[in-house]
């Protein structure tokens, strides 16, 4: 059941970015992979809120490094993308039962 849930949960992850032609699908797919890696870390047993913020910071660093790739394809990690990514990461933590995580703190080290 957990595997089914995981597949279902990720099915719609970042769908608005995939649907928007402004964001290159190939790069959105890479962002999605980064969020999925974040989700795997969050889903491990005995994860603390401190761990979650640490995992989130690592994920955002990976996404920060993609900024030039978006720009090379006449796109950007704009405020709208930031909202979609933050919401996806928030969905991950809430699905794992962490309801006290602050969305802005999850992506506080973003450079986009």
């Amino acid at each position: 059941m957990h595997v089914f849930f995981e597949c279902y949960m990720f099915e719609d992850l970042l769908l608005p970015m995939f649907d928007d032609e402004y964001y290159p699908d190939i790069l959105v797919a890479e962002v999605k992979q980064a969020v999925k890696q974040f989700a795997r870390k969050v889903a491990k047993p005995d994860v603390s809120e401190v761990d979650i913020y640490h995992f989130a910071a690592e994920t955002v660093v990976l996404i920060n490094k993609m900024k030039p790739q978006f720009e090379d394809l006449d796109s950007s990690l704009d405020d709208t993308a930031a909202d979609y990514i933050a919401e996806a990461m928030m969905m991950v933590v809430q699905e794992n039962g962490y309801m006290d995580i602050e969305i802005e703190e999850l992506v506080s080290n973003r450079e986009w």
Side-chain angles (χ1 to χ4, degrees):
M1 171 122 171
H2 179 71
V3 173
F4 171 76
F5 174 72
E6 182 177 303
C7 292
Y8 176 75
M9 182 174 94
F10 290 127
E11 192 66 33
D12 294 336
L13 197 61
L14 301 176
L15 191 59
M17 286 183 75
F18 281 111
D19 286 346
D20 189 332
E21 291 182 15
Y22 179 68
Y23 305 110
D25 286 351
I26 191 162
L27 296 179
V28 176
E30 286 184 43
V31 172
K32 184 176 179 177
Q33 282 304 116
V35 175
K36 287 173 80 171
Q37 288 175 348
F38 169 70
R40 285 198 261 319
K41 292 176 182 178
V42 170
K44 291 181 180 177
D46 301 322
V47 172
S48 69
E49 287 188 12
V50 172
D51 293 330
I52 290 171
Y53 288 121
H54 176 76
F55 300 149
E58 291 176 336
T59 302
V60 171
V61 166
L62 289 173
I63 297 169
N64 284 343
K65 290 178 182 177
M66 296 177 63
K67 185 178 175 184
Q69 293 173 277
F70 274 86
E71 292 167 356
D72 287 347
L73 295 175
D74 297 323
S75 184
S76 69
L77 287 167
D78 57 9
D79 289 343
T80 302
D83 289 346
Y84 291 141
I85 294 166
E87 287 170 9
M89 292 175 71
M90 196 67 187
M91 183 182 81
V92 165
V93 297
Q94 289 179 343
E95 289 291 338
N96 283 282
Y98 299 96
M99 301 302 174
D100 296 329
I101 299 294
E102 296 292 326
I103 192 166
E104 284 302 315
E105 196 171 334
L106 270 184
V107 294
S108 63
N109 62 324
R110 71 183 170 95
E111 298 173 1
W112 23 270

